[in-house]
Amino acid sequence: ERLRAADVLGRYGGEEFIVLFPGSTAQQAAVGAERIREAIAADGIETRAARVSATISVGLAEAMSGQDTLEQLIRRADRALYDAKAKGRNCTVVDSP
């Protein structure tokens, strides 16, 4: 619900997902990532026992035109993700190349 029509969402691993924000700078993508993060944190799942909530940590990297391979871009986003987790989770960290 929070993605634009041009954005692409895919599962990357067991608990990891990748979102491509084509035509966006890192700062623009961070705004989109924050909307997603906030929506997930605000939403809950009702169970018989209790209401369960979830949060996400986001690592974001901007493709360096003509410099990044897909593998390098993912590696930089993954590094930012680990930084987000180290900062206490439930936040967005943008990689600074």
Side-chain angles (χ1 to χ4, degrees), residues 1 13 20 42 45-47 55 58-59 69-70 84-88 90:
E1 294 175 3
L20 301 175
I45 301 167
E46 290 292 334
T47 69
T55 61
V58 178
T69 65
L70 180 58
K85 289 179 178 181
K87 289 182 179 189
N90 193 28

Side-chain angles (χ1 to χ4, degrees), residues 12-73:
Y12 186 68
E15 296 177 352
E16 293 180 339
F17 295 85
I18 289 181
V19 178
L20 301 175
F21 296 99
S24 297
T25 65
Q27 289 73 31
Q28 292 166 332
V31 170
E34 275 296 293
R35 277 196 305 265
I36 294 167
R37 188 192 63 73
E38 289 170 356
I40 289 172
D43 202 8
I45 301 167
E46 290 292 334
T47 69
R48 287 185 220 157
R51 182 174 176 84
V52 179
S53 62
T55 61
I56 62 169
S57 300
V58 178
L60 198 143
E62 182 175 344
M64 307 302 285
S65 181
Q67 299 176 24
D68 273 330
T69 65
L70 180 58
E71 184 177 298
Q72 290 167 324
L73 179 61

